[in-house]
Amino acid sequence: MFQLEDCIAYITSRGAKTLAERLEDRFTGSGVSRVQWIAMYYVDRCPSITQKQLAERMNSKESTVVRLLDRMEKENMVRRVCCQDDRRVRYLEMTPEGRKLYEKLSQRAEQFKDDAIRGIGEEKLEVFKEVLNQMLANTEEG
């Protein structure tokens, strides 16, 4: 008989939600949300990233990311820069203020990661990632 507590989808969903909430707690008082930090992460890692590409990387709707960027631009974290070849395309870059915030919060994120995996060996972490990625691939096929 099906047991929800044994369902991998339920366990991973609950785990992901809990970990996301706890990372959000680490950002408390910074004025930056976990989702804003994730956007900053991709802007930092992907020079000349567009709004559309950011939405794809964040696995979000483009309209949701546009609203997120509107807030972040208003708060002087990021700026949109028009492409010289195609004025419809806007690239994203961090402002100096945004970069400073991002670097500070990246230290908190790194500490959170270290805390979350404490006591778990590298081999087990690799197996976990491989198994989860295989499960995702399996569900994409069927």
Side-chain angles (χ1 to χ4, degrees):
M1 175 177 246
F2 179 82
Q3 295 290 322
L4 183 62
E5 294 80 14
D6 292 333
C7 177
I8 296 300
Y10 175 76
I11 293 168
T12 55
S13 175
R14 196 174 110 222
K17 183 178 185 288
T18 300
L19 289 171
E21 289 169 353
R22 292 187 180 152
L23 178 58
E24 186 80 44
D25 290 345
R26 299 285 177 109
F27 293 162
T28 298
S30 69
V32 177
S33 71
R34 176 184 59 84
V35 175
Q36 288 173 320
W37 179 81
I38 291 169
M40 293 167 85
Y41 170 88
Y42 285 119
V43 170
D44 180 65
R45 293 287 191 288
C46 308
S48 301
I49 192 169
T50 65
Q51 294 175 165
K52 182 177 182 171
Q53 291 167 331
L54 180 61
E56 290 168 2
R57 298 249 176 154
M58 293 181 69
N59 198 28
S60 293
K61 294 179 182 174
E62 196 170 349
S63 60
T64 301
V65 169
V66 167
R67 287 191 305 275
L68 173 70
L69 291 170
D70 287 345
R71 286 193 308 275
M72 292 176 73
E73 194 170 38
K74 184 178 178 184
E75 294 171 10
N76 198 30
M77 293 180 205
V78 297
R79 66 178 148 242
R80 294 170 170 119
V81 179
C82 287
C83 173
Q84 291 180 353
D85 298 333
D86 186 347
R87 293 175 43 113
R88 296 169 297 175
V89 175
R90 292 180 173 205
Y91 296 114
L92 303 170
E93 61 182 40
M94 255 189 283
T95 64
E97 182 179 319
R99 178 149 316 281
K100 206 187 288 187
L101 270 171
Y102 170 73
E103 289 171 2
K104 179 176 125 182
L105 293 177
S106 291
Q107 292 172 2
R108 292 185 194 182
E110 183 70 25
Q111 184 61 55
F112 173 77
K113 180 197 69 135
D114 291 344
D115 292 345
I117 64 172
R118 185 177 44 243
I120 303 170
E122 190 63 38
E123 188 176 305
K124 284 185 177 180
L125 287 171
E126 286 305 312
V127 168
F128 170 74
K129 292 176 199 175
E130 286 175 24
V131 169
L132 188 56
N133 283 325
Q134 183 63 55
M135 291 172 67
L136 291 170
N138 291 347
T139 59
E140 287 176 5
E141 294 169 3

